[in-house]
Amino acid sequence: MTKTQTFSAIMFSSINCYTPPVMKTMITDSIMVAAEFISSGEVVAFPTETVYGLGASIFDQDAIQKIFLAKGRPTDNPLIAHLGSRSQIEQIVSEVTPVAAKLMDVFFPGPLTLVMAKSADVPPMATAGLETIGVRMPAHQTALNFIRACRFPLVAPSANLSGKPSPTTWEAVKTDLDGRISCILKGEQTDFGLESTVVDCTGEILLVLRAGAITLEQLRAVIPATQLAKADANFPARSPGLKYRHYSPQAQVVVVNDLTAMRPNNSAFIGLQAPSVSAEFHQILICQNVAQYAKSLFQFFRQCDEVGIQTIYCESVEERGLGLALMDRIKRAASS
């Protein structure tokens, strides 16, 4: 058993048998009030441009553990650090490679996470025992102001119960985590609706570990040799969203290419074009483009669960541009 596996096994055992205490969750639009909770060693849900995150100080291992407890998240699933300014990266990363610096020049702030060698000051719980850490700087003013008010970088996975669709509204956070966390910082619905793109900057070739709002085409415009990583079960995951059940509603998700091959019995549909049997669906959402489809997907999943939909049909799209990330999330939800 490796060092990472030993750490994860011990921590997962302790978290898996623990139920977080019921607490009163404050809902506020005050950045300073929310930042006080972070200073007190608590966790706070906050908006970003991708999805809502659940933040704790990156240097407070007890607070980081509260994230895992609140979410029911396996501890071998690493967290992503969120910066309020580029200067904070020096606190948590041991080396910024030339490739990473080039990507930061183009995409920071923005929905891109860079995996780099971590500083010795970062607790192992934040990285699932790995010697690397994912880092991003949100392109969301409330998120940036909040992180700056906290005075330290925050680690923040999505602010949902582990395995459920990521939250794109503060109301979705409340549905999952009310009574399990101390505070929710209110904001508008998120802009992208899908999590950040994650790229590994530690090797000779830039590898996309998780598709997201920054597309493969955009990355190749800066680093032409960028490649999509292949899953390898023999190595620990360096990015969230690669190993465990993710993004899944209670309903069964079915990917469809042929819109005539659906059975609309207590079911819903989301896609770009209306099926001929539209009137027979309990819920239906026709999106104007792939960007709207991506922004609406997780919220649509949650709305279907609220009314007891049994099957959600998702129209497939071409896996290029943002469609690559969208289909990744749909396929993962369908395979759960």
Side-chain angles (χ1 to χ4, degrees):
M1 183 175 284
T2 67
K3 176 182 176 183
T4 298
Q5 289 171 327
T6 301
F7 167 81
S8 298
I10 293 172
M11 292 310 304
F12 181 74
S13 175
S14 64
I15 286 192
N16 198 37
C17 63
Y18 180 85
T19 301
V22 176
M23 62 186 72
K24 180 175 177 58
T25 300
M26 174 177 284
I27 299 172
T28 181
D29 56 9
S30 170
I31 287 171
M32 298 311 298
V33 168
E36 282 297 318
F37 281 98
I38 296 292
S39 298
S40 300
E42 299 298 326
V43 298
V44 175
F46 64 99
T48 77
E49 78 277 29
T50 56
V51 299
Y52 272 70
L54 183 60
S57 169
I58 196 170
F59 302 120
D60 188 339
Q61 182 149 301
D62 290 339
I64 295 170
Q65 185 172 8
K66 291 177 182 179
I67 290 178
F68 288 96
L69 295 172
K71 284 175 60 70
R73 180 185 177 94
T75 54
D76 59 350
N77 199 3
L79 305 178
I80 290 174
H82 289 62
L83 308 176
S85 65
R86 279 186 59 168
S87 62
Q88 288 184 330
I89 200 166
E90 299 173 0
Q91 303 176 46
I92 59 175
V93 168
S94 61
E95 179 188 10
V96 177
T97 64
V99 167
K102 189 172 184 178
L103 291 171
M104 285 191 287
D105 288 341
V106 177
F107 296 112
F108 274 26
L112 180 67
T113 295
L114 306 179
V115 175
M116 294 179 276
K118 79 175 187 71
S119 160
D121 295 329
V122 175
M125 177 169 281
T127 65
L130 298 171
E131 294 303 317
T132 58
I133 186 166
V135 181
R136 89 177 189 94
M137 183 177 172
H140 189 282
Q141 200 57 55
T142 298
L144 290 174
N145 290 342
F146 172 57
I147 298 167
R148 291 165 184 166
C150 294
R151 296 183 293 113
F152 298 107
L154 304 181
V155 283
S158 55
N160 58 310
L161 291 174
S162 187
K164 294 190 66 175
S166 298
T168 58
T169 66
W170 71 265
E171 292 92 343
V173 178
K174 184 176 185 293
T175 296
D176 279 12
L177 300 181
D178 190 24
R180 300 173 71 92
I181 64 174
S182 295
C183 180
I184 298 171
L185 178 59
K186 290 172 60 175
E188 301 297 326
Q189 181 174 358
T190 60
D191 294 328
F192 290 103
L194 298 181
E195 300 81 0
S196 64
T197 305
V198 181
V199 297
D200 188 345
C201 299
T202 62
E204 295 182 1
I205 298 176
L206 190 71
L207 292 177
V208 177
L209 303 181
R210 181 179 73 184
I214 299 297
T215 68
L216 179 61
E217 292 83 357
Q218 288 175 296
L219 291 169
R220 284 178 172 167
V222 180
I223 309 292
T226 303
Q227 299 293 321
L228 289 173
K230 296 181 180 179
D232 191 333
N234 296 318
F235 290 91
R238 289 191 172 193
S239 167
L242 301 181
K243 187 173 181 180
Y244 292 99
R245 178 179 180 270
H246 272 76
Y247 320 121
S248 300
Q250 296 174 11
Q252 179 186 8
V253 174
V254 178
V255 183
V256 290
N257 298 302
D258 180 1
L259 300 191
T260 66
M262 296 180 288
R263 298 179 179 178
N265 180 24
N266 191 21
S267 61
F269 173 85
I270 183 172
L272 299 177
Q273 50 188 330
S276 58
V277 289
S278 296
E280 299 180 38
F281 285 99
H282 284 244
Q283 298 267 22
I284 190 165
L285 179 59
I286 309 303
C287 304
Q288 295 180 354
N289 49 46
V290 172
Q292 185 186 15
Y293 194 169
K295 179 175 182 176
S296 305
L297 180 70
F298 291 149
Q299 186 66 9
F300 186 73
F301 281 176
R302 287 177 173 271
Q303 289 169 350
C304 289
D305 278 348
E306 288 174 3
V307 296
I309 296 294
Q310 294 180 348
T311 305
I312 303 172
Y313 292 101
C314 298
E315 181 184 0
S316 64
V317 301
E318 186 176 357
E319 294 188 30
R320 65 179 181 85
L322 189 58
L324 180 65
L326 174 60
M327 289 308 300
D328 170 77
R329 304 309 191 272
I330 291 174
K331 288 178 179 179
R332 290 181 187 274
S335 66
S336 300

